[in-house]
Amino acid sequence: MYGIVNQAIEDLVKENFGEEKWDKIKERSGVDLDFFISNEPYDDEITFKLAIAVSEEMNIPLENVLQAFGEWWVLKTGKEKYGGLMEAGGSSLKEFLVNLPIFHSRIMLIYPRLMPPEFKISHKEANSIHVHYYSKRQGLQEFVVGLLHGLGKMYNTPAHVERIESRSAGADHDVFKVSW
């Protein structure tokens, strides 16, 4: 993953729990880097080590850490680093979700070595939509749940996210029903 992802985890911890807590998390994770360069790729293992260390240090289930990070990614990192792209995604939660499949195509112009997930949309209803999530990476489904909740908050539209299909249950991809 790119350094911007690891930097966002660091920012989340520092802003909510302080520099000292971040130092403990880095030590617990075994990640011995002083800083992350936003546009440089890093091994995915670093990101997972940091997330696990946050979970252990804060005594919070890993799924909650990933969900909180997903919300943070949208509400802080996304708005600050990609404000124009986020705004171009649509004027409502539903419009953004409908446009989600093309979002990573735009991000790949900034990060050419990005290995993004793929999103597809189905079952477009007045108050819900199905988001299909395909990824080569395992273990980020809860991050996606957080992203979807964060998008709801960004559009002042409280969202309910329900996983209706899961790779861990044998499906070839995850499907989330987002309702508002």
Side-chain angles (χ1 to χ4, degrees), residues 10-81:
E10 179 179 352
D11 293 344
L12 170 64
V13 170
K14 284 181 175 179
E15 186 165 313
N16 288 285
F17 305 104
E19 184 89 33
E20 194 172 299
K21 187 58 82 174
W22 172 246
D23 291 339
K24 287 181 181 180
I25 288 167
K26 267 186 49 182
E27 184 178 324
R28 182 183 286 263
S29 73
V31 174
D32 189 26
L33 296 169
D34 292 330
F35 58 89
F36 300 102
I37 300 170
S38 294
N39 62 349
E40 287 294 319
Y42 292 81
D43 192 304
D44 288 358
E45 185 179 348
I46 291 173
T47 307
F48 286 109
K49 283 181 176 181
L50 291 171
I52 291 166
V54 170
S55 171
E56 292 171 351
E57 184 68 30
M58 306 302 291
N59 197 26
I60 300 171
L62 182 59
E63 68 183 34
N64 293 13
V65 170
L66 291 170
Q67 287 179 14
F69 179 53
E71 280 193 30
W72 176 270
W73 182 260
V74 169
L75 298 173
K76 292 294 263 179
T77 306
K79 279 186 161 183
E80 289 175 9
K81 306 288 185 188

